[in-house]
């Protein structure tokens, strides 16, 4: 799969053609785990938002570009009065599990005699998972007493899939898409995997490890010919 991406991008770089136009858009995505990830996480749901920027070639129904995504796949808030020795006021401990992605994108749009535009898509890039915590006095407090990352890890991944685009007007299209992702194993935390041990004053981590295998279903808007 990686060799395929390298060959395709090399062809696109050396192929002498001029751009037809640029397009961009955004998606709301929901991912459900499969395979080992489903076993490890017990059907954890990954919600994300993403933005995509593509460049279409004039002599071929091919688009290339980049998609960036971000989401929080688990959040836990605790009220504790034992976080600091000698300080017994109740504090809020908020911990978020975050997923950020960056993917190179190749799309192929077959010729059809309809207003609905189908496409096939392949992506390759990285998944970055990290967990952050914040300690604040109240929910309205602007400054946190303490904040830091508990853990972070990243892994290479690839996606394949496709979708349909429905015209809204001359330039705007509604897009539905489904993709399958697989890749390298990564360590991560999910909601409830971190426990505070007040007697020792440390956090205890129950790490999970699995390839990020999941199906993603997306809905979004794509704007064609940005600079027309």
């Amino acid at each position: 799969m990686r060799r395929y991406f390298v060959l395709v991008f090399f062809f696109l770089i050396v192929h002498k053609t001029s751009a037809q136009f640029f397009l961009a858009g955004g998606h709301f995505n929901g991912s459900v785990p499969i395979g080992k990830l489903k076993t490890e996480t017990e059907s954890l749901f990954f919600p994300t938002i993403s933005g995509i920027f593509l460049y279409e070639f004039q002599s071929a129904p091919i688009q290339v570009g980049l998609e960036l995504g971000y989401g929080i796949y688990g959040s836990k808030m605790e009220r504790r009065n034992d976080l600091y020795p000698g300080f017994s006021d109740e504090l809020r401990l908020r911990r978020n599990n975050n997923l950020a992605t960056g993917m190179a994108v190749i799309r192929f749009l077959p010729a059809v005699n309809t207003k609905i535009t189908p496409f096939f898509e392949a992506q390759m890039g990285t998944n970055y998972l990290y967990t952050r915590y914040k300690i604040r006095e109240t929910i309205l407090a602007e400054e946190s007493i303490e904040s830091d990352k508990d853990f972070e890890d990243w892994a290479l991944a690839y996606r394949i899939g496709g979708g349909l685009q429905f015209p809204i007007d001359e330039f705007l299209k509604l897009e539905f898409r489904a993709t399958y992702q697989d890749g390298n194993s990564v360590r991560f935390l999910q909601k409830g995997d971190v426990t505070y041990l007040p007697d020792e004053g440390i956090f205890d981590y129950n790490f999970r490890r699995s390839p990020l295998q999941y199906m993603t279903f997306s809905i979004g808007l794509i704007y064609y010919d940005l600079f027309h």
Side-chain angles (χ1 to χ4, degrees):
M1 177 60 70
R2 294 178 188 174
R3 183 177 299 177
Y4 166 77
F5 274 97
V6 172
L7 290 174
V8 171
F9 275 116
F10 177 77
F11 170 78
L12 293 174
I13 290 172
V14 301
H15 184 64
K16 294 182 179 179
T17 185
S18 58
Q20 187 176 11
F21 52 73
F22 293 91
L23 52 149
H27 295 91
F28 292 99
N29 314 292
S31 302
V32 291
I34 57 178
K36 184 178 179 180
L37 183 62
K38 182 177 181 180
T39 303
E40 185 68 28
T41 63
E42 300 178 354
S43 300
L44 181 66
F45 182 69
F46 293 84
T48 58
I49 57 173
S50 61
I52 192 168
F53 185 79
L54 298 169
Y55 172 86
E56 183 168 305
F57 289 86
Q58 185 177 33
S59 60
I62 294 174
Q63 299 170 350
V64 297
L66 181 68
E67 183 166 16
L68 302 176
Y70 171 76
I72 296 176
Y73 64 90
S75 181
K76 182 180 180 180
M77 197 281 292
E78 299 178 79
R79 292 183 174 89
R80 305 193 67 98
N81 60 5
D82 55 2
L83 293 174
Y84 300 105
F87 189 83
S88 59
D89 289 353
E90 186 177 82
L91 300 175
R92 295 172 58 91
L93 170 61
R94 168 71 69 179
R95 179 171 282 105
N96 292 327
N97 300 311
N98 305 269
L99 170 62
T101 62
M103 294 282 175
V105 182
I106 303 173
R107 279 188 175 184
F108 170 70
L109 293 82
V112 292
N113 293 319
T114 175
K115 292 183 178 180
I116 300 174
T117 304
F119 63 89
F120 302 98
E121 181 174 290
Q123 300 186 11
M124 186 172 184
T126 61
N127 290 312
Y128 175 55
L129 294 96
Y130 62 100
T131 298
R132 291 189 63 90
Y133 71 88
K134 286 187 177 182
I135 300 174
R136 296 189 295 180
E137 293 184 6
T138 67
I139 192 173
L140 300 177
E142 295 183 2
E143 298 292 332
S144 58
I145 298 173
E146 182 181 343
S147 64
D148 202 356
K149 286 182 183 177
D150 286 301
F151 181 74
E152 60 184 345
D153 200 4
W154 67 278
L156 295 174
Y158 66 86
R159 299 172 181 170
I160 54 175
L164 297 171
Q165 295 178 346
F166 298 83
I168 296 177
D169 59 27
E170 183 181 359
F171 299 105
L172 189 63
K173 293 187 178 183
L174 176 66
E175 179 172 292
F176 296 92
R177 180 181 63 177
T179 58
Y180 162 78
Q181 175 177 284
D182 200 354
N184 296 345
S185 291
V186 62
R187 287 208 303 168
F188 61 95
L189 297 165
Q190 67 177 56
K191 182 178 179 180
D193 284 347
V194 183
T195 305
Y196 182 66
L197 306 178
D199 292 339
E200 303 177 33
I202 61 174
F203 294 114
D204 182 53
Y205 302 98
N206 177 30
F207 292 108
R208 300 170 187 266
R209 187 176 184 89
S210 170
L212 290 182
Q213 300 170 319
Y214 52 67
M215 290 291 302
T216 300
F217 302 94
S218 309
I219 182 173
L221 294 173
I222 302 294
Y223 191 85
Y224 273 70
D225 202 0
L226 286 176
F227 308 112
H228 67 275

